[in-house]
Amino acid sequence: MRYDAEHRERTRATILKEAAGAIRAKGPDGIGVAALMKQAGLTHGGFYAHFKSKDDLVAEAIGVMFEEARNRFDRSRADADPRQALSDYVGFYLSPMHRDARGKGCPVAALSGDMARLEPQGRERFGRGVATLAGWLGKALEAYGVPDAETAGRSMLAELVGALLLSRAVADPGESDAILASAAASIRARYCLEEAQ
Amino acid sequence: MRYDAEHRERTRATILKEAAGAIRAKGPDGIGVAALMKQAGLTHGGFYAHFKSKDDLVAEAIGVMFEEARNRFDRSRADADPRQALSDYVGFYLSPMHRDARGKGCPVAALSGDMARLEPQGRERFGRGVATLAGWLGKALEAYGVPDAETAGRSMLAELVGALLLSRAVADPGESDAILASAAASIRARYCLEEAQ
DNA sequence: TCTTTTATATGATGAGCATCATATAAAGCA
DNA sequence: TGCTTTATATGATGCTCATCATATAAAAGA
């Protein structure tokens, strides 16, 4: 019905935003095209006017998630010294709030487990996101003199992701909190972030 | 057809063993009852003579996986001093071999990502397994004088799991190897395991 | 040998899924 | 006002899945 010029674009963005949330919350196989389109206020058939296939959507949505993550990371380091910025990021990452907001949180933690089963297109995009994120962490560590910063950045990302995943996986809330707290304490101690908090 | 006394039991064990592998490799939703029974040399209908439901099977299979993991851990610490045993375990855990054997490897790394979506029965069993594994690591660390061993055990598990997951998730083999190596180096340095390797 | 028992097999049901051919409706243009 | 274009809607197809009612076949006990 020949809507105004950017209508199609806006609709596509809405679908992608819904998908980015739903895929993180329920996994790439946990959400169907019909349900997703309904969430976006549309019907399922129209989907294929915007995306070649569901795999195509998933790959694009992964890109959107990493853009969101980049914005968050940029914001956290905007006005502070690198050590403070890193401390803030660790604090956010290992917070119960982040744990409980799977659909809005870090795509790496939300999707790592599903990646091995995903089509190459999405995996590739995910891999680039992981490398970028590890690089940011490494640079932040390097900025205040941590040695072997590239290795440390990857190690730190692994612990952040592992701790968040475990805290989401276990059934007991006390154990879940303890996992987050232990990882935070260990990371802070080892990269001299204690006093910055 | 009234097979001999333990036939039923043996069949059940076969199904569980196949399930424990397939669930780790493809996820709880990645394998169907029919395909699983076929792998076990049976037809799909007979399944319900052994398990109440697929959810029931998944929960039991998770138990089997953690038993396997316990055996592996026990073996690794059988004849060495605690530091050497821990070093061996870290070496095994972060090896490319373990990364590539998802169906036979650590259930925590294989299933963390799926846990949040699983029924409570399976989650509960998984949570107990995680706590036990973190406890073992903590005890091993304590045995050679690492301070705050309980915290350190949880932190170490988080990094092991996170690194293995990331190494399986990224598409680029070089990056995957680097993630494993970075985590191993960081863990060895921080818990004085270098010289033990 | 005949009956009873029970582990496994067959086949069906109904739900959910991705995908696609076709229809509709409304905005811009004539 | 009427025509054309195109974003969205409807409805169908064929697939996979968990589950279950029912059938079969063979071992154990008589």
Side-chain angles (χ1 to χ4, degrees), chain B residues 1-2 7-8 11 42-45 49-50:
Chain B
M1 53 169 157
R2 202 140 178 169
H7 196 168
R8 183 191 166 85
T11 304
L42 298 163
T43 53
H44 64 276
H50 294 281

Side-chain angles (χ1 to χ4, degrees), chain A residues 2 20 33 35 40-41 51 59 63 76 91 100 111 115 125 129 133 135 142 144 153 162 164-165 167:
Chain A
R2 201 139 177 175
V33 170
F51 300 97
S76 102
D100 298 336
L111 295 184
M115 272 306 126
R125 228 174 258 235
L133 187 47
E142 194 170 33
Y144 69 93
L164 190 58
L165 264 155
S167 78

Side-chain angles (χ1 to χ4, degrees), chain A:
Chain A
M1 50 171 161
R2 201 139 177 175
Y3 300 77
D4 54 297
E6 325 92 14
H7 196 168
R8 182 191 167 87
E9 196 98 351
R10 273 206 310 273
T11 303
R12 187 186 150 93
T14 305
I15 298 172
L16 269 174
K17 206 183 120 237
E18 289 295 334
I23 288 169
R24 269 176 292 184
K26 306 185 185 178
D29 292 342
I31 185 77
V33 170
L36 182 67
M37 291 296 278
K38 194 169 194 178
Q39 263 182 53
L42 298 162
T43 53
H44 63 276
F47 177 82
Y48 293 89
H50 294 281
F51 300 97
K52 220 177 80 241
S53 66
K54 191 187 168 187
D55 284 352
D56 182 30
L57 165 77
V58 170
E60 299 257 3
I62 288 173
V64 170
M65 292 175 212
F66 277 106
E67 269 166 51
E68 285 175 23
R70 187 214 308 261
N71 292 339
R72 190 157 46 223
F73 195 86
D74 283 350
R75 235 179 299 127
S76 102
R77 69 179 163 181
D79 53 3
D81 78 304
R83 196 195 298 241
Q84 181 65 49
L86 202 54
S87 178
D88 289 351
Y89 191 72
V90 170
F92 151 73
Y93 203 101
L94 296 175
S95 66
M97 197 196 80
H98 189 196
R99 174 194 62 201
D100 298 336
R102 190 172 163 155
K104 298 186 197 166
C106 175
V108 183
L111 295 184
S112 292
D114 297 305
M115 272 306 126
R117 307 166 209 140
L118 213 70
E119 14 71 80
Q121 217 184 357
R123 285 193 68 179
E124 223 266 299
R125 228 174 258 235
F126 185 84
R128 264 183 287 149
V130 169
T132 305
L133 187 47
W136 290 339
L137 293 174
K139 261 188 218 123
L141 289 163
E142 194 170 33
Y144 69 93
V146 170
D148 258 329
E150 202 190 336
T151 296
R154 274 196 286 254
S155 159
M156 188 167 165
L157 180 61
E159 181 158 356
L160 288 174
V161 169
L164 190 58
L165 264 155
L166 289 180
S167 78
R168 284 174 177 164
V170 303
D172 175 35
E175 182 70 16
S176 174
D177 289 346
I179 289 166
L180 292 179
S182 294
S186 177
I187 289 177
R188 286 190 196 287
R190 123 172 151 252
Y191 300 117
C192 311
L193 294 171
E194 304 110 299
E195 72 279 14
Q197 175 63 335

Side-chain angles (χ1 to χ4, degrees), chain B residues 43-111:
Chain B
T43 53
H44 64 276
F47 177 82
Y48 292 87
H50 294 281
F51 300 96
K52 216 176 85 242
S53 66
K54 192 188 169 189
D55 284 352
D56 183 31
L57 165 79
V58 170
E60 299 258 0
I62 289 173
V64 170
M65 291 175 212
F66 277 106
E67 269 166 50
E68 285 174 22
R70 186 215 310 259
N71 292 339
R72 191 159 45 223
F73 195 86
D74 283 351
R75 235 179 297 123
S76 102
R77 68 178 162 181
D79 52 4
D81 77 303
R83 195 193 299 243
Q84 181 64 50
L86 202 54
S87 178
D88 289 351
Y89 191 70
V90 170
F92 149 74
Y93 204 100
L94 296 175
S95 66
M97 195 196 82
H98 189 197
R99 173 194 63 200
D100 299 335
R102 190 172 161 153
K104 297 186 198 167
C106 175
V108 182
L111 295 184

